[in-house]
Amino acid sequence: MYKKYFTSESVTEGHPDKICDQISDAVLDKILENDPKARVACETLVTTGLVLVTGEITCNCIVDIPSVAKNTVKDIGYTDADYGFDYNTCAVITSIDKQSPDIALGVNRAVDTADKDLLSNEEIGAGDQGMMFGYACNQTPEYMPVPIAVAHRITRKLAEVRKSGLLNHLRPDGKSQVTVEYAGNKPIRVDNVVVATQHAPDVAQKTIHDDIIRHVIRPVIDEKLIDKNTRFLVNQTGRFVIGGPQGDSGVTGRKIIVDTYGGYARHGGGAFSGKDPTKVDRSAAYAARHAAKNIVAAGLAEECEIQLAYVIGLARPVSVSIDTFGTGAVPDEKISSIVMDVFDFRPASIIRKFDLRRPIYKQVASYGHFGRNDLELPWEKLDMVEVLKTL
């Protein structure tokens, strides 16, 4: 078999862009907690000493957005001005408008459905046009590609050892990057691991290097994937003291590949964070992942990618495409037919099946929306496997 290499990255919750994703989803959660039918499209920007929250929100409640933003920054760990960003002193500016009534026309009631199984107030259309992808494979127990799965484990471990005090010289900002060698489509070894972590100014590079390898990298990677040629590259510039919003501005939705499959599968381009579930950028991507994961778990394919495409105002997707990359136990046409019979990709049906009008989003705003075995996420459930096996 031919050999190939594939690389994916993850970022910690203290990364500037991820701070923004978490604030946007924290605002969404707080609004849904008080008004489950709210329409939310919340965007955040952070830079030195400043959080800007903007977007289009229509709801029947009042939310103290500055407090939500500051508490999110506090939870992440920016609690000291020496870290370059501090929840106590950062300014929060808000600029919020309502959802456009032109968009609301297509969302409030779908123009293509008179289905009796939907309540009149649930006959909603897609909140925008666009395409969404869902993917799953059998490379890991979480049905994710190895590079992104390992990259996420590393960044989560970085946060864990920082917050526990085990490595109290670490700071919230950080990244990981993992390159995996494949023989054909089978992962056989980790070729290199890159970690960049913000740290206190008085810590030696050798201390950081040794601590990260011992307490972060090795505990989360299967030893069978590491050999004498695997390289560990830690803080290669030799210094990472200035980080977070002081080191780089952040914006919601700028880590969409980190949020999904690490580039191993295609992406439609739409971000997730800050969007209520009428936005198919989010809800349909969750539905496509759910379908792809159940297909792989049912043994219909070793890997599966599903594309959905929508038009604003229409409930049903205008196209559904299946690709198993030659790994299907049956032809893709057969799997496509099964998917159309078993899964309902209308926005109202997705929302109802996964109970998406509730505050569950901030928890996935860092370390990925998929493959999260540490969380009880409805789109990660293998609840259709037995049904699929009978078809």
Side-chain angles (χ1 to χ4, degrees), residues 161-328:
V161 298
R162 169 176 62 87
K163 292 181 175 182
S164 71
L166 177 62
L167 300 182
N168 57 15
H169 53 270
L170 299 186
R171 300 294 181 255
D173 197 0
K175 287 183 173 183
S176 69
Q177 181 175 286
V178 177
T179 300
V180 175
E181 181 181 330
Y182 286 79
N185 291 321
K186 181 181 179 182
I188 57 173
R189 60 181 293 273
V190 171
D191 184 71
N192 65 78
V193 176
V194 180
V195 175
T197 180
Q198 186 185 10
H199 59 86
D202 57 349
V203 183
Q205 164 67 6
K206 185 178 187 310
T207 299
I208 297 170
H209 180 274
D210 293 346
D211 282 348
I212 295 302
I213 293 174
R214 179 183 176 187
H215 296 292
V216 176
I217 296 175
R218 286 196 174 273
V220 301
I221 302 179
D222 186 341
E223 285 295 328
K224 294 194 291 286
L225 293 176
I226 298 176
D227 60 26
K228 64 180 181 179
N229 295 317
T230 300
R231 294 184 298 161
F232 301 130
L233 309 172
V234 179
N235 281 18
Q236 282 300 103
T237 67
R239 185 175 173 85
F240 186 1
V241 173
I242 298 174
Q246 183 185 26
D248 190 11
S249 60
V251 181
T252 297
R254 208 155 59 177
K255 283 290 175 281
I256 58 176
I257 301 304
V258 172
D259 285 342
T260 52
Y261 309 101
Y264 202 90
R266 285 168 281 199
H267 197 294
F272 299 155
S273 290
K275 297 178 180 178
D276 76 83
T278 67
K279 279 73 171 174
V280 285
D281 277 342
R282 176 168 229 156
S283 53
Y286 291 171
R289 160 66 177 178
H290 175 254
K293 184 176 179 180
N294 276 267
I295 286 168
V296 173
L300 294 178
E302 294 179 16
E303 63 176 317
C304 179
E305 183 182 79
I306 299 177
Q307 185 201 52
L308 306 176
Y310 290 84
V311 173
I312 188 168
L314 300 185
R316 292 180 175 82
V318 293
S319 76
V320 178
S321 175
I322 307 290
D323 192 346
T324 64
F325 307 96
T327 69

